[in-house]
Structures are given as structure tokens and as C-alpha cells.
Amino acid sequence: MHPPPARARRRRPRAFRASVPSLIMTAILCLLVLPPLVMLFRTSLVNYEDASAPYSLINYVKLIEDPLLYISTFNSVFFAAGATVVSLLIGATVAWIVERTNAPFKWLAYVTTIVSLGTPAILYVSAWIFLLGRAGPVNQLWKEITGSFQPLVNVYSIPGMMLVEGLLWVPLVFLLCGATFKRQNADLEEAARMSGGSVFDTVWRVSLPLAKPALYGLAIFIFIRNIEAFDVPVLLGTPGGIKLLTSDIYLSMTRVPPDLGHSSAFAIVMILFVSALLYLYGRVSANADRFASVTGKGFRPRPFDLGRYRWIGGFVIILNFLLVLALPVLAVLWNSVTPFVRGFSLKAFSTLTLENYVHVLTDSYYLQLALNTVFVAAISATVAIAVTAVAAWLSVRKWPASGPLNQLASLPIIFPGIVLGVAMIQLALRTPFGLYGSIWLIAIAFIIRYLPYGMRYAQPAVMQIHRELEEAANVSGASQPGTFRRIVLPLTAPALLAGWLFIFLVAAKELSIAVLLAGSRSKTVAVAMFDQWTNGQAGEVAALGIIWTIAMSCCAALMMALSRNDMKSQGTL
């Protein structure tokens, strides 16, 4: 055989050198996202009952033969569907009123969203347990009015769980639907009104059909998140005897001894279910271009004049403010200043105290909780944004061997939080680094969990940068790392900072992963709230929650301000 020409020999090393950054990033992502999935699948095949046959399908056989699987699946689907309907009805309605009409009190919707983004879900759930509990103010008022001993609302039922979980997702639905309605062409709605259509007809026949793909995609996304929900199923479903997929996995991991094989098989089934829903979500999102109403021709997103219905729109915004923010916050404030849990009454005002706040602010235990949470959230946000910023740049610019980067960075989206927690426990038990129960294990799990979130912010930001800016830097003698550091990073900084703040916020509230991984010295604020609530320390939970919500709401306000400024710089606002 003849040796290849010298030119070919030079081309191969050059091509290999060009693919090195992508190969390194691929290796980093594989090291992060593949071990939990492999370990989970491996453990699901372990036969813990028969040492002579170490691997078998016995865990799957038991799972399929267990009728509780089908009860939990039906309950989860029913609960998730109902909660999704509640979220979409309220969130999409408020989003349309705020973004497309001249209704008053729009600022209340943004205040509601900012504070809700900074509120831990467990605090929100505990507030509704107080409000809608059997001895809560709603049922007590119903009893005084009607004299009935039957409660008006049973919060420990599937309808009660649907309501609480649905209200929990209203702020996110408002943000995502608001972005969709903001970009709709107002000419089509005005044409419908000029043709004699009423406000209802215009919304039903023009506004909603134009937003149909976005609403369908959002419905599937929220449905997936409701299937993965942990706080409501555990805090409301478990006391009510209602089994759901996530609570079953949690209970199988927390019993003594933990049933690793059963929980792993359960987790694999749940991953397959979520993957099917994500595939459906991708198919729906792929057809969005057929409904585009903003073209190359100029348009102005003018507000829709509601006429005499303007104040009805304002009333809907106020109602959303009351349900999503005011009532839960009022309940938490009340519990934080009472020595024990009691209903609203004039007599109780004489017993109000700030003792819970004093205890939270002076006890070093709570300071350690805050430091743990800030550390874990900051580390996970920083690493996730750093990794996805580089991966997005390599992927968007189509570097050699960069094909798998987007898929690998998006792969963790198939992991429900409780499932990833199970996988990380099994990994920690098999590593010699002393990770089990440490703060670093939680940080690694959060990094994996939020890689798709980082990619969601980084990839569109890189797409906004024209290639010619980087080419000009290269012509001027800049290296590729120098171009990334001096051109790409400064231009994508607003979007990356907004993504960092978003990941920081959701990581600071995350319970489903941390509750399984936290040790005695590595608890986060959400885990401490969960433990204290289950131990009956509602006053301290409320005081800690109020202080933490104020701090996180400031971060949420900064995130929204940065996001809006970034949209303005791109000409989308």
C-alpha cells in the first residue's frame, strides 16, 4: 500500500485538532448525564433475593404484577391533567389580558409572578393546607354559614391537589403564554372586530387559534412537570391515602431497608413515560411555524380595546393576585407570628409574637441552611451555564464532532427530580469519594438536572450573534478561545446571567432531589422546611419561608429585568 500524500496527512491532524473542543465537551457531558441513567438501569436488573442469579427482570415482573402501579399511574395522570387545566385556564387568561388588552392593574400580575418565582413550593403548599384544611378559615366560614359539619373543600383529595398544584404553575404559564401573546399581530384581531365579531368571538376564533401550537406544547410541558411533582403528592396525597408515582418512589426509598430494585424499576418506567410525552411535545413544537402571524412586514403589537369589559379584565387580574399570591402569603405571615397553628380570629391578635423570626435570625442552624442552599444553587447555576454556553457555541457554529452536544445537554430533561435523586444515591454508594450525604452530591445532581435549562438560555443567545463578528476577530488574529471570551461571552452575557438567576432560583427551591440526598449537615432550606413541617413546627417554617421568599424575590425581580432588557436589545419588545 502506498502511504497517503503529505497534504492528506496534514489535513487529518488539522481536522482532529478542530474536533478536540467538541470531543472534550462531549466527554464532559457524557460523564455528567450517562452514569445516573446507566446506574439506574443496572440496579433495576439486580435480583436482591437470589444471589445465584444476580441479574434478572424480577423487579419489573413484580412491578407489572402489582395492581398499585396502575392505581398510582391513573392517579398521577388524572392529577396532572386536572392541575394542567387549572394552570392553563388561569395563567393563559391572565397573560392574554395583560399582554393584549387595555385592562387595568397589569402591574399586579408581574408582582404576583416575581414573588411566586421566589417562593419555595413547600411553603406554598403548607399555606394552602392551612387555608383549606378541615379547621382552616375557608371550611370554618362554610360551617358558620351553613351549619354543616362536612367541609366545603377537602384539600387531601385529588381535586384539592389539582387546585394547589395548578395554582403553583400559574406564574410560569403566565410568563410563557405572555411571550406568545406579545408577539401576535394585532391586525388580525382588529379585522375580526371590524367585521362585527364580539370580544369573545375574536378571542375564540382568532387569538386562541393563533396561539394553538404554543398552548398545546405548553400544556404537554406543564403536564410533564405535574407528573414529576413531589411536594403536593407527598404533603397532600400521602396523608389522604392517595398514591402517585413520585410518592411511591419516595416511600420505597425511605423505608428501612430501602427497596433499591423496586424503586429503580419504578424510576425506569417513569422515565419511559416522560420520554414519550417529551417526544409528543417535540412533535407539537415542530409545527409552530404554520401558525406564524409575524412576518417581514412591519407590525405593532397594539393593545386590544376591551371597551366596557375593561374592568372585568382588571377583576380577573386581581383575582389571580389573590389566589396565587395574597392569600397564601397572608396565611404564611399569620402562621409566622402565632405561637401555634390557629385560625384567624380577633382573640388570636393578643397572642401574636415575633419569637419565630427572632429564633430563625439568631439560630446558627438556619444560617447554615441558607449558606448550604446559596452554595449549592450558585455552584449548580455556574457550572450548568458555563458548560452549556460552550456546548451551545460549539453546536450552533457546527464545529466538527459537535453533533451530539445538544442532545446530551438536553438528555437530563427525561429525569424527574425524584428519579434523579434515586440514581444519584446509587452512584454515591458505589464511589470511594465519600459523596453520600454531602453537599457536593446535591450540587452534582443539580448540575445534571439543570443542564437543559442552561441550554434553553444559551442556545438562542448564541444564535442571535452573527458569525461575521467572530470571523472579523479571527481575521484580526484572535484565537478561537479568545474570540469566545471577547466576542461571544460579552454579547450573550445578559441571557446567560438571566439563565444563571433562573437556575439559581429553581435550585434554591428544589426539594425532590435534595430530600433524598441531604445529610444531617448538608440540608437545604427546602429540605429543612419539609422536615419541620412534618414535625409540626409550622411557625418556624413560616418565618423562615417569609425571610427566604423576600431574598429570592429580589433575585426573581433582577432575572425578569435582565430578561426584558435582553428582549429589548433583540428587538422583540
Side-chain angles (χ1 to χ4, degrees):
M1 294 180 62
H2 297 286
R7 183 178 300 174
R9 289 198 303 269
R10 287 195 301 269
R11 189 181 299 118
R12 288 176 185 173
R14 186 179 301 170
F16 177 76
R17 285 196 300 270
S19 64
V20 167
S22 298
L23 293 175
I24 293 175
M25 187 53 59
T26 300
I28 292 173
L29 290 173
C30 286
L31 190 62
L32 283 172
V33 304
L34 294 184
L37 186 60
V38 173
M39 184 59 65
L40 202 62
F41 182 69
R42 177 184 178 276
T43 308
S44 71
L45 297 176
V46 174
N47 187 354
Y48 290 93
E49 299 177 357
D50 187 359
S52 62
Y55 293 101
S56 69
L57 297 175
I58 185 64
N59 294 314
Y60 291 97
V61 172
K62 288 182 177 180
L63 190 64
I64 293 173
E65 292 178 348
D66 188 355
L68 293 179
L69 169 67
Y70 306 100
I71 295 174
S72 299
T73 302
F74 174 80
N75 287 342
S76 294
V77 172
F78 186 47
F79 156 72
T84 301
V85 171
V86 172
S87 300
L88 287 176
L89 280 178
I90 300 176
T93 300
V94 175
W96 184 82
I97 292 173
V98 170
E99 300 295 347
R100 304 296 300 124
T101 75
N102 61 341
F105 310 121
K106 293 182 180 181
W107 61 273
L108 274 180
Y110 292 107
V111 171
T112 302
T113 301
I114 289 172
V115 178
S116 298
L117 287 174
T119 305
I122 185 173
L123 188 69
Y124 193 87
V125 176
S126 65
W128 281 108
I129 291 176
F130 170 77
L131 289 169
L132 301 179
R134 191 175 186 90
V138 173
N139 285 319
Q140 285 298 316
L141 180 62
W142 171 256
K143 179 180 178 181
E144 292 177 5
I145 293 175
T146 63
S148 172
F149 289 98
Q150 294 298 322
L152 175 65
V153 181
N154 180 13
V155 73
Y156 298 105
S157 64
I158 289 187
M161 294 167 62
M162 289 177 180
L163 176 63
V164 176
E165 182 72 19
L167 292 175
L168 193 63
W169 285 100
V170 165
L172 183 62
V173 173
F174 167 76
L175 284 179
L176 297 178
C177 282
T180 299
F181 291 131
K182 189 192 297 289
R183 292 173 173 84
Q184 282 187 356
N185 195 333
D187 293 342
L188 302 175
E189 294 171 331
E190 292 179 359
R193 293 302 305 275
M194 292 177 65
S195 300
S198 64
V199 173
F200 178 80
D201 289 335
T202 301
V203 173
W204 185 255
R205 298 185 180 183
V206 178
S207 302
L208 287 181
L210 288 175
K212 187 183 297 184
L215 292 176
Y216 283 167
L218 180 59
I220 296 172
F221 175 76
I222 298 299
F223 180 80
I224 292 171
R225 290 303 175 221
N226 287 331
I227 285 285
E228 301 174 359
F230 175 77
D231 305 74
V232 171
V234 170
L235 293 176
L236 297 181
T238 302
I242 301 170
K243 292 185 173 294
L244 283 86
L245 293 173
T246 50
S247 56
D248 280 354
I249 294 174
Y250 172 74
L251 292 175
S252 66
M253 284 298 297
T254 53
R255 68 168 62 113
V256 180
D259 194 343
L260 293 177
H262 175 78
S263 60
S264 298
F266 220 139
I268 290 292
V269 171
M270 193 168 180
I271 285 177
L272 294 175
F273 184 41
V274 171
S275 299
L277 292 173
L278 286 169
Y279 173 77
L280 179 61
Y281 173 72
R283 292 291 300 271
V284 170
S285 301
N287 297 322
D289 289 344
R290 296 190 297 109
F291 294 80
S293 64
V294 179
T295 63
K297 298 179 180 179
F299 89 103
R300 292 180 295 116
R302 297 178 296 277
F304 186 81
D305 187 3
L306 291 177
R308 65 178 182 273
Y309 299 110
R310 178 171 176 263
W311 291 103
I312 296 180
F315 173 76
V316 172
I317 294 175
I318 293 175
L319 185 62
N320 171 72
F321 168 74
L322 292 174
L323 288 175
V324 178
L325 181 62
L327 288 177
V329 168
L330 183 62
V332 175
L333 277 172
W334 177 261
N335 285 331
S336 70
V337 294
T338 53
F340 53 88
V341 178
R342 60 188 305 179
F344 295 109
S345 66
L346 293 176
K347 293 181 180 180
F349 278 91
S350 61
T351 64
L352 298 186
T353 175
L354 295 177
E355 183 179 346
N356 291 320
Y357 286 96
V358 173
H359 185 62
V360 169
L361 291 173
T362 57
D363 193 336
S364 60
Y365 170 72
Y366 292 103
L367 176 60
Q368 186 62 47
L369 289 177
L371 293 176
N372 286 346
T373 306
V374 170
F375 175 78
V376 169
I379 288 292
S380 58
T382 301
V383 175
I385 287 295
V387 169
T388 53
V390 177
W393 180 56
L394 296 174
S395 178
V396 170
R397 294 296 180 248
K398 293 183 170 38
W399 278 56
S402 64
L405 293 179
N406 188 30
Q407 288 75 16
L408 284 171
S410 302
L411 183 63
I413 200 170
I414 69 172
F415 279 108
I418 193 71
V419 171
L420 182 58
V422 172
M424 295 305 295
I425 284 179
Q426 296 170 25
L427 276 175
L429 291 174
R430 289 169 172 81
T431 56
F433 309 119
L435 281 177
Y436 186 75
S438 70
I439 199 77
W440 291 105
L441 181 62
I442 302 176
I444 294 171
F446 281 6
I447 290 169
I448 299 170
R449 169 77 161 166
Y450 299 121
L451 282 174
Y453 293 71
M455 205 66 175
R456 175 63 183 84
Y457 277 90
Q459 197 168 38
V462 175
M463 288 179 177
Q464 293 290 330
I465 303 173
H466 201 283
R467 187 187 295 269
E468 65 185 14
L469 298 175
E470 299 172 43
E471 292 173 350
N474 293 333
V475 170
S476 301
S479 63
Q480 291 291 359
T483 299
F484 179 76
R485 187 178 66 254
R486 297 182 180 182
I487 303 297
V488 178
L489 279 183
L491 292 175
T492 58
L496 295 181
L497 184 55
W500 189 94
L501 286 168
F502 181 78
I503 294 175
F504 179 85
L505 283 170
V506 293
K509 300 192 300 181
E510 177 66 47
L511 176 63
S512 59
I513 296 176
V515 74
L516 288 179
L517 304 182
S520 58
R521 297 185 178 181
S522 59
K523 289 184 179 180
T524 62
V525 168
V527 175
M529 286 183 180
F530 179 77
D531 290 344
Q532 289 176 321
W533 177 262
T534 54
N535 292 330
Q537 297 173 276
E540 292 185 16
V541 170
L544 175 62
I546 289 294
I547 296 171
W548 190 251
T549 296
I550 292 172
M552 292 299 104
S553 296
C554 295
C555 294
L558 179 59
M559 182 202 73
M560 291 193 66
L562 288 170
S563 300
R564 291 180 68 85
N565 289 336
D566 186 45
M567 293 175 69
K568 288 179 181 178
S569 67
Q570 297 173 11
T572 55
L573 269 180

